[in-house]
Amino acid sequence: MKKPIPDIVIGRLPVYLRALQHMMDAGRSVTSSQELGERLGISAAQIRKDLSQFGEFGKQGTGYTIEFLAQQIQAILKIEKVWEIALIGAGDMGNALAAYQGFNQRGFHISKIFDSDPNKIGKQIGDYKVLNIESMESEIKKANIKIAMLAVPASVAQEVTDKLVDAGIKAILNYAPVSINVPEGVRKQYIDPAVHLQRMSYYLK
Amino acid sequence: MKKPIPDIVIGRLPVYLRALQHMMDAGRSVTSSQELGERLGISAAQIRKDLSQFGEFGKQGTGYTIEFLAQQIQAILKIEKVWEIALIGAGDMGNALAAYQGFNQRGFHISKIFDSDPNKIGKQIGDYKVLNIESMESEIKKANIKIAMLAVPASVAQEVTDKLVDAGIKAILNYAPVSINVPEGVRKQYIDPAVHLQRMSYYLK
DNA sequence: TAGATTGTTAATCGATTAACAATC
DNA sequence: TAGATTGTTAATCGATTAACAATC
């Protein structure tokens, strides 16, 4: 078995991709590891090393064709197609996520929204009606959805997580301010603004 | 000069703290590096090593007093007092952040909200009126605010960042889907849901 | 050709883990 | 006392950087 690509390398690819897409939007067509590095605050050597894990995408003396490299990274990250996403929680954060316009161009699309609050169930959010969380497992299975965004209170996050795992979800973006446990083979990422702020306050005077 | 604490260690402290606070809420009073580690998916050795960078907070044979350890971490992270925060951008994400109830108990408080859209300026969000972004620099200086949350479109993120830096901001939590450049001495953290999702889609079949 | 930049190797640097004496 | 768990050291593991031959 080949050595797996380090998780930390995978973690940087979306950042490279985002920068490349901004460059494309600006009409640029070629870049270099040095330019990308300066833009992102990452060493040029690291960018070249990261990319070389997946193939040879550049040309000596010239650099990288932006569009080509972006396509390659999209293929690596498996976002050439669009992934359907289940959003759990139709509170303020759920609503903001539902309204977010950036997902579609970046490989994701919210296709179902669930909540347990009778006052929210049936409400229209964007293109979708809020569904009863009771139907979550069957709906996710039926639609074969693999990714969920969790925007529920911390107190029910683990319980909902367990149901998502039962429903076949393999990746959870957790907005609830609590650590969740998932079995092997299920990925998770956390977004907790207070945690991110606390990572900076340490350095303040 | 003493060796600085690694950034990666600082990054884990808020996660430890969050778990400790959940334990307190559950009425618990003592824990161990092993229990914490299992809960967080981190090795017990790493937790002990991380904490030992700052002092001796535990007791052999017993473990850690939850309340005491939480207080110590709060002191380390400088969140014993509450930091005032400027929120830039009163769109969907800005509104969700303004409504978020979790900040106050965790060391932060949104005290001013800015936008450039005439339709939003003057609107009431929570306890505050949306202020004109033109007044941002002077308002931030006047209130001596050091932390900003940036929830503006990518296209203006760098421009607004530069103004925030001029206003004396030392920490930026950036929700705009673009890398920003800041001078030495200013911290930044990124929250981009698409980036987080892309870090997981790689692993999906 | 001359200049630029890649991909890769080896060296360096840093983080994690295993193990255990100390001690509650 | 016996059992448990810390704080710390040394060993291991992994990530980053520097340097350069290859080559466009």
Side-chain angles (χ1 to χ4, degrees):
Chain A
M1 208 171 98
K2 278 224 305 290
K3 211 178 279 177
I5 310 288
D7 198 54
I8 198 163
V9 173
I10 303 303
R12 282 189 291 259
L13 294 184
V15 179
Y16 299 165
L17 177 60
R18 191 174 63 178
L20 292 167
Q21 285 167 338
H22 284 298
M23 287 177 175
M24 281 172 71
D25 291 347
R28 304 277 315 283
S29 71
V30 175
T31 187
S32 65
S33 58
Q34 188 177 10
E35 189 195 25
L36 258 179
E38 274 167 20
R39 227 168 138 126
L40 301 175
I42 291 177
S43 81
Q46 177 158 89
I47 291 175
R48 292 201 302 278
K49 186 114 208 284
D50 284 353
L51 295 175
S52 75
Q53 305 257 17
F54 303 96
E56 309 194 354
F57 304 131
K59 215 181 274 189
Q60 284 103 323
T62 313
Y64 301 90
T65 303
I66 293 170
E67 193 179 346
F68 174 74
L69 183 56
Q71 280 168 358
Q72 295 298 311
I73 296 180
Q74 283 174 329
I76 294 164
L77 295 176
K78 302 207 182 79
I79 50 172
E80 287 172 304
K81 71 162 196 167
V82 169
W83 294 88
E84 297 300 330
I85 294 186
L87 169 59
I88 328 299
D92 290 302
M93 189 50 67
N95 270 274
L97 289 170
Y100 186 55
Q101 294 304 305
F103 288 127
N104 291 286
Q105 310 135 50
R106 297 172 73 193
F108 306 97
H109 177 247
I110 294 174
S111 69
K112 290 181 192 296
I113 305 176
F114 299 92
D115 204 297
S116 62
D117 180 349
N119 296 315
K120 287 178 187 146
I121 295 169
K123 232 185 69 185
Q124 193 76 20
I125 295 188
D127 297 341
Y128 290 90
K129 271 211 173 58
V130 177
L131 304 175
N132 190 330
I133 202 165
E134 296 291 325
S135 68
M136 185 177 76
E137 190 171 336
S138 66
E139 291 278 357
I140 287 177
K141 279 182 178 163
K142 196 170 66 184
N144 195 30
I145 296 173
K146 294 298 167 202
I147 305 178
M149 295 197 297
L150 193 54
V152 301
S155 54
V156 297
Q158 185 61 57
E159 177 192 332
V160 176
T161 296
D162 295 343
K163 285 187 194 154
L164 289 170
V165 170
D166 287 344
I169 288 291
K170 296 296 180 194
I172 298 175
L173 179 54
N174 180 24
Y175 279 82
V178 63
S179 293
I180 55 175
N181 284 109
V182 296
E184 187 102 350
V186 177
R187 312 287 311 183
K188 57 187 173 176
Q189 289 269 310
Y190 293 94
I191 291 182
D192 180 340
V195 163
H196 283 85
L197 291 171
Q198 290 171 354
R199 284 176 181 159
M200 298 191 286
S201 58
Y202 170 81
Y203 296 96
L204 299 179
K205 294 280 150 47
Chain B
M1 208 170 95
K2 276 222 308 288
K3 213 178 277 176
I5 309 288
D7 198 54
I8 198 162
V9 172
I10 303 302
R12 283 189 291 260
L13 295 184
V15 178
Y16 300 164
L17 177 59
R18 193 174 61 180
L20 292 167
Q21 284 167 337
H22 284 299
M23 288 177 175
M24 282 173 70
D25 290 347
R28 304 279 313 285
S29 71
V30 174
T31 186
S32 66
S33 59
Q34 187 177 11
E35 189 195 26
L36 258 179
E38 274 166 20
R39 225 168 140 125
L40 300 176
I42 291 177
S43 80
Q46 178 158 89
I47 292 175
R48 292 200 302 278
K49 187 113 209 287
D50 285 353
L51 296 175
S52 75
Q53 304 258 15
F54 303 96
E56 308 193 355
F57 304 132
K59 214 181 272 187
Q60 284 103 324
T62 313
Y64 301 91
T65 303
I66 293 170
E67 192 179 347
F68 175 74
L69 182 56
Q71 280 169 357
Q72 294 298 311
I73 296 180
Q74 283 174 328
I76 294 164
L77 295 176
K78 302 206 182 80
I79 49 172
E80 286 173 304
K81 69 162 196 167
V82 169
W83 294 88
E84 297 300 329
I85 293 186
L87 169 59
I88 328 299
D92 290 301
M93 188 51 65
N95 270 275
L97 289 170
Y100 186 55
Q101 294 305 305
F103 287 127
N104 291 286
Q105 309 136 50
R106 297 173 73 192
F108 306 97
H109 177 247
I110 295 174
S111 70
K112 288 180 191 296
I113 306 177
F114 300 92
D115 203 298
S116 62
D117 180 349
N119 297 315
K120 288 179 186 144
I121 295 168
K123 231 185 67 184
Q124 193 76 17
I125 296 188
D127 296 339
Y128 290 90
K129 270 211 173 57
V130 177
L131 303 175
N132 190 329
I133 202 165
E134 295 291 325
S135 68
M136 185 177 78
E137 191 171 336
S138 67
E139 291 279 356
I140 287 177
K141 279 182 179 164
K142 195 171 66 184
N144 195 30
I145 296 173
K146 294 297 169 203
I147 306 178
M149 295 197 296
L150 193 55
V152 301
S155 54
V156 298
Q158 185 61 56
E159 177 192 331
V160 176
T161 295
D162 295 343
K163 284 185 194 154
L164 289 170
V165 170
D166 287 345
I169 288 289
K170 296 295 181 195
I172 298 174
L173 179 53
N174 180 25
Y175 279 83
V178 62
S179 293
I180 54 173
N181 284 108
V182 296
E184 185 104 350
V186 178
R187 312 288 311 183
K188 56 186 173 177
Q189 290 269 312
Y190 293 93
I191 291 182
D192 180 341
V195 164
H196 284 85
L197 291 170
Q198 291 170 354
R199 284 175 180 160
M200 299 192 284
S201 57
Y202 169 81
Y203 296 95
L204 299 179
K205 295 280 151 46

